Amino acid sequence: MELNTLAIIIGVLALLIGIVAGKFIFAKNTQKKIEEAEQQAQKLLNDARTQSENLKKERLLEAKEKFVQLKAEHDKEVLERNRKIIDAENRIKQREQSFNQKETSIDKQIKENEAIKENLNRQIEVVNIKRTELEKHQEEHIRRLEKVAGLSAEEAKKQLVESLKQEAQTQALAMQQEIVDDAKLRANKEARKIIIQTIQRTAAEQAIENSITVFNLESDEIKGQIIGREGRNIRAIEAATGVDLIVDDTPEAIVLSSFDPLRREIARLSLQRLVTDGRIHPARIEEVVEKTRKQIEEQVMEIGERTVIELGIHGLHKELVRIVGKMRFRSSYGQNLLMHSREVANLCAIMASELGMNPKLAKRAGLLHDIGKVPDEETELSHALLGMKLAEKYGETPAVVNAIGAHHDEVEMQYVIAPIIQACDAISGARPGARREIMQQYLQRIKDLENMAMTYPGVEKAYAIQAGRELRVIVEADKVTDADSDKLSFEIAQKIQTEMTFPGQIKVTVIREKRAVNVAR
């Protein structure tokens, strides 16, 4: 029992000793860790102090640099302000000097003016005295004149004014006549200029038509079918179309003859359909001609509508549109009527624009001026009066109606647009190549121009271009110098001006070219 107790006591003591030893060891380790932590904290503190010192130094350096920069800018601004102040002071000093000089000069002028004023006052007193004496002498002189002339001063004045008035009226009338003559001359020159510009700005087509149409055939055998038994087919065609068919010895061709191009076109298309179909007899002829006539009427309407759209004319009556389309199948002196009317419309628009007028109204009147040439029924009225009547019937404006009726002076011109239509109609009809009888004269003038240039020595070739408005002369470089070229151009221009008749002006261009050609082999 005692042994067990002793063993237990010994075990307890051993346990206590172990616990005390463990606590001692733990305390020792804890103390060591605390020392290490203190050392590390001291190290971190030292590092933080070092970084703080470095950061403080950097901030101080940056602050010093910023201060130096601001100080430099401030010094520069102060210097600039000082410079401006000095410049302002210098300008003020200069102005003071200028003011002082002007003040001195003004004082001097004032003294001189006072002297002049005193002198003038003395002279005025002398003049007043002399004027008083002169008035007395004048009154005495007037009394003597009235006594000699038997007229009072008022009566003499009235007679003088009346004579001066009559003389002034005479001079004014003479001056007015001179101004009117000069205005007419200038107006004529300006009108010629506008007309020439209008013609040059319009690109016109040349169209010449005849009164016959040639219908070509594949073989002469078809002529017999067209003629028919005892000529019944050809008589039916002539009766239905109003066109004469000429069947002669001309191989593979039949001539359609009529003054009306619309009828010729109906006959040509009808023959073409009949020949293609092969059935040619009077009943079939009448049927085909009727269909062709309706087709042509539709084509006429289409041509009229296309024409007014291209010209930008709006609000035209349908019947007038149809008449415009019919112009395509009518010619006047060999000139296609629709082409002529389109050309007149464009010329009128250009001329009206040059004169500051309404170009659309002028273009409308120009297109319609010859509608009386394509009547649906024969009438004894002239084409101008008939066209005026048609335009009035279909609601055209009075200006357009008057321009149509007056373009051949058959009625009085009441609007400014009327003479423009008349002038443009004459321009289109007289244009070189427009009408048959003028074409030969135009070609002859072109040849005369070229032949005239070829008569000069050294001229190699001569070409008349731009409808005869320019003559280009090519000379031989070995025979004609540059100075001779100028002289030659002047001489040719003078000769054309004195010996030829031409519209507008002709530009003479002499071309001299020297070519040096060698071949490398």
Side-chain angles (χ1 to χ4, degrees):
M1 182 68 180
E2 293 178 356
L3 287 173
N4 290 335
T5 306
L6 182 62
I8 292 168
I9 293 170
I10 291 170
V12 171
L13 290 173
L15 180 61
L16 291 171
I17 292 169
I19 292 170
V20 171
K23 288 182 176 181
F24 178 77
I25 292 170
F26 178 76
K28 189 175 180 179
N29 289 335
T30 303
Q31 184 66 31
K32 186 176 180 180
K33 288 182 179 180
I34 290 171
E35 290 176 356
E36 288 178 356
E38 288 178 352
Q39 289 176 0
Q40 188 174 4
Q42 187 65 33
K43 184 179 179 181
L44 290 173
L45 184 61
N46 292 335
D47 291 340
R49 286 175 181 174
T50 304
Q51 290 179 359
S52 176
E53 291 293 332
N54 292 335
L55 186 61
K56 182 179 179 181
K57 289 179 181 179
E58 290 178 359
R59 292 292 182 269
L60 286 173
L61 288 174
E62 290 179 359
K64 287 181 181 179
E65 290 177 358
K66 188 67 175 179
F67 174 75
V68 171
Q69 183 179 359
L70 291 173
K71 188 174 181 301
E73 292 178 356
H74 179 266
D75 293 341
K76 183 178 179 181
E77 186 176 354
V78 170
L79 290 174
E80 182 66 22
R81 288 181 180 177
N82 291 335
R83 186 184 63 78
K84 291 182 179 179
I85 291 170
I86 292 170
D87 291 342
E89 290 177 351
N90 291 333
R91 288 196 296 271
I92 290 170
K93 289 179 180 179
Q94 291 177 358
R95 288 181 180 177
E96 288 179 352
Q97 292 177 0
S98 176
F99 287 151
N100 292 333
Q101 292 176 358
K102 288 182 179 179
E103 186 176 1
T104 305
S105 176
I106 289 170
D107 292 338
K108 186 177 179 181
Q109 288 180 359
I110 289 172
K111 293 179 181 179
E112 293 177 353
N113 289 337
E114 288 178 354
I116 293 171
K117 186 176 179 181
E118 292 178 358
N119 189 16
L120 286 174
N121 289 331
R122 289 194 297 269
Q123 290 181 0
I124 288 171
E125 290 177 358
V126 173
V127 168
N128 288 332
I129 295 170
K130 290 184 176 180
R131 186 174 63 183
T132 304
E133 294 177 354
L134 181 61
E135 289 176 353
K136 292 180 180 179
H137 288 297
Q138 186 177 4
E139 290 176 357
E140 182 65 26
H141 186 64
I142 289 172
R143 284 196 297 271
R144 290 179 181 177
L145 286 175
E146 289 178 352
K147 185 177 180 181
V148 171
L151 293 173
S152 63
E154 291 296 329
E155 293 174 350
K157 190 185 294 183
K158 288 180 181 180
Q159 290 183 2
L160 180 61
V161 168
E162 189 65 28
S163 62
L164 290 174
K165 184 178 179 181
Q166 293 177 357
E167 184 179 356
Q169 287 178 347
T170 303
Q171 292 179 356
L173 290 173
M175 189 177 296
Q176 181 182 0
Q177 187 62 35
E178 290 178 0
I179 293 172
V180 170
D181 294 340
D182 184 62
K184 288 181 179 179
L185 180 62
R186 291 177 181 273
N188 289 332
K189 289 182 178 179
E190 191 66 22
R192 293 191 191 100
K193 179 181 176 182
I194 291 174
I195 290 172
I196 291 170
Q197 289 178 350
T198 304
I199 295 171
Q200 290 175 345
R201 285 173 57 186
T202 303
E205 299 178 2
Q206 293 188 4
I208 295 179
E209 297 183 353
N210 299 317
S211 60
I212 61 172
T213 299
V214 178
F215 182 75
N216 296 314
L217 302 172
E218 294 181 359
S219 65
D220 287 338
E221 297 175 357
I222 303 176
K223 288 183 179 180
Q225 298 179 13
I226 294 174
I227 295 172
R229 185 181 301 174
E230 298 178 357
R232 65 176 185 175
N233 290 343
I234 195 170
R235 286 196 300 271
I237 295 173
E238 290 178 348
T241 60
V243 176
D244 292 333
L245 271 66
I246 302 174
V247 182
D248 53 15
D249 296 335
T250 305
E252 299 179 356
I254 293 178
V255 177
L256 309 178
S257 176
S258 173
F259 71 93
D260 190 345
L262 186 60
R263 293 181 183 178
R264 292 205 309 272
E265 184 67 12
I266 293 173
R268 186 186 68 81
L269 293 176
S270 300
L271 272 177
Q272 187 175 357
R273 288 185 176 184
L274 290 169
V275 170
T276 303
D277 185 40
R279 294 177 296 168
I280 306 176
H281 53 81
R284 178 64 178 166
I285 289 170
E286 292 179 359
E287 179 184 354
V288 170
V289 169
E290 187 63 27
K291 288 183 179 179
T292 305
R293 184 174 284 109
K294 291 181 179 179
Q295 178 186 351
I296 289 292
E297 289 177 358
E298 294 175 358
Q299 183 179 353
V300 163
M301 199 68 186
E302 182 182 350
I303 291 171
E305 290 175 352
R306 187 168 61 247
T307 300
V308 296
I309 290 172
E310 289 176 356
L311 292 176
I313 298 174
H314 305 287
L316 204 64
H317 194 277
K318 288 292 183 182
E319 190 63 26
L320 292 179
V321 173
R322 186 182 68 83
I323 293 174
V324 170
K326 284 182 65 177
M327 290 182 183
R328 168 64 182 81
F329 302 99
R330 174 66 189 268
S331 61
S332 177
Y333 298 99
Q335 184 181 23
N336 183 270
L337 190 59
L338 181 59
M339 295 298 103
H340 166 66
S341 298
R342 288 170 62 100
E343 186 177 333
V344 171
N346 290 323
L347 288 169
C348 290
I350 295 171
M351 193 175 292
S353 299
E354 293 286 341
L355 296 172
M357 298 171 60
N358 186 351
K360 292 185 178 180
L361 185 66
K363 184 182 289 188
R364 191 184 192 96
L367 177 65
L368 301 176
H369 80 284
D370 271 347
I371 58 174
K373 287 187 177 181
V374 284
D376 293 328
E377 298 178 358
E378 295 296 329
T379 178
E380 296 180 357
L381 292 175
S382 66
H383 76 275
L385 296 178
L386 180 59
M388 180 178 70
K389 187 177 179 181
L390 290 172
E392 186 177 7
K393 177 181 178 182
Y394 295 116
E396 289 300 312
T397 61
V400 174
V401 172
N402 178 253
I404 294 172
H407 79 277
H408 284 311
D409 293 324
E410 292 178 284
V411 297
E412 184 181 356
M413 295 184 181
Q414 299 175 352
Y415 296 88
V416 182
I417 196 175
I420 294 178
I421 307 302
Q422 188 181 54
C424 294
D425 179 42
I427 291 170
S428 175
R431 174 175 52 77
R435 295 184 174 180
R436 187 177 298 108
E437 65 274 14
I438 298 177
M439 185 65 175
Q440 298 301 325
Q441 299 176 6
Y442 165 70
L443 293 176
Q444 186 62 41
R445 180 163 61 85
I446 297 296
K447 291 179 181 179
D448 291 343
L449 276 174
E450 295 176 351
N451 294 334
M452 180 182 295
M454 294 297 296
T455 58
Y456 287 86
V459 175
E460 183 179 1
K461 296 177 182 178
Y463 301 102
I465 62 176
Q466 294 185 7
R469 290 193 295 273
E470 182 176 357
L471 178 64
R472 291 192 178 178
V473 181
I474 301 174
V475 298
E476 300 178 10
D478 298 333
K479 297 181 180 179
V480 180
T481 63
D482 288 338
D484 294 337
S485 298
D486 295 333
K487 182 180 178 183
L488 180 62
S489 176
F490 176 77
E491 290 179 354
I492 294 175
Q494 291 297 316
K495 190 171 183 180
I496 292 172
Q497 187 172 345
T498 55
E499 296 183 7
M500 294 187 65
T501 303
F502 53 91
Q505 60 185 13
I506 298 176
K507 178 182 178 183
V508 179
T509 304
V510 175
I511 302 173
R512 178 182 179 271
E513 183 182 21
K514 177 67 176 178
R515 294 189 182 184
V517 180
N518 290 289
V519 180
R521 292 186 175 88

